[in-house]
Amino acid sequence: QVQLVESGGGSVQAGGSLRLSCAASGYTSSSRRNCMGWFRQAPGKEREGVAAIYTGSGTAFYADSVKGRFTISQDNTKNTVYLQMNSLKREDTAMYYCAAAEGVRGTYCSTAVGGAEKFSYWGQGTQVTVSS
């Protein structure tokens, strides 16, 4: 059973930056054929994909709404994925969730940002609040 623990959320003014972390444990294989993603959900809205990374290659994928502002990265030695968020806007305010899909191909991950159903494991979430 994969377990995900997020950290790094908080409150920041518009234009500021935050870095979220997601530590993963419990993978059944060391092959690193995994897709890890970040999603967010604001009150009254559906869960929205933000970014994903294929851990085998480090290839990253982004939603259009965050391209150029957010960067997803990984530290394989720590089984940790990061989401660096710059130039934050009020509309980025949401609960941010880390998600994982184990044992998948890179092509699977390339479309994973578009669908929460592609991920089997989820963290508890970390709140990001951006004020003007």
Side-chain angles (χ1 to χ4, degrees):
Q1 183 84 355
V2 176
Q3 294 185 325
L4 305 172
V5 179
E6 304 105 329
S7 61
S11 297
V12 65
Q13 289 193 327
S17 299
L18 281 174
R19 189 177 81 154
L20 307 183
S21 299
C22 174
S25 62
Y27 282 119
T28 59
S29 169
S30 60
S31 70
R32 299 198 185 284
R33 292 178 56 196
N34 308 313
C35 180
M36 293 191 70
W38 286 97
F39 284 73
R40 65 187 181 186
Q41 189 166 19
K45 295 189 176 181
E46 292 187 356
R47 192 164 293 193
E48 171 192 25
V50 174
I53 187 166
Y54 188 60
T55 59
S57 63
T59 304
F61 309 94
Y62 297 95
D64 288 342
S65 59
V66 304
K67 279 181 181 177
R69 299 190 299 122
F70 290 11
T71 302
I72 189 170
S73 62
Q74 62 179 354
D75 182 340
N76 284 335
T77 64
K78 298 180 180 179
N79 273 344
T80 299
V81 170
Y82 304 97
L83 185 69
Q84 177 67 44
M85 305 185 294
N86 298 329
S87 302
L88 282 162
K89 306 175 182 179
R90 288 189 64 184
E91 51 264 44
D92 294 318
T93 295
M95 184 71 79
Y96 282 70
Y97 297 91
C98 178
E102 187 178 17
V104 300
R105 295 177 180 270
T107 50
Y108 181 96
C109 197
S110 67
T111 61
V113 174
E117 70 279 1
K118 287 183 174 286
F119 294 89
S120 300
Y121 304 101
W122 292 85
Q124 293 299 306
T126 185
Q127 178 68 36
V128 172
T129 302
V130 184
S131 59
S132 59

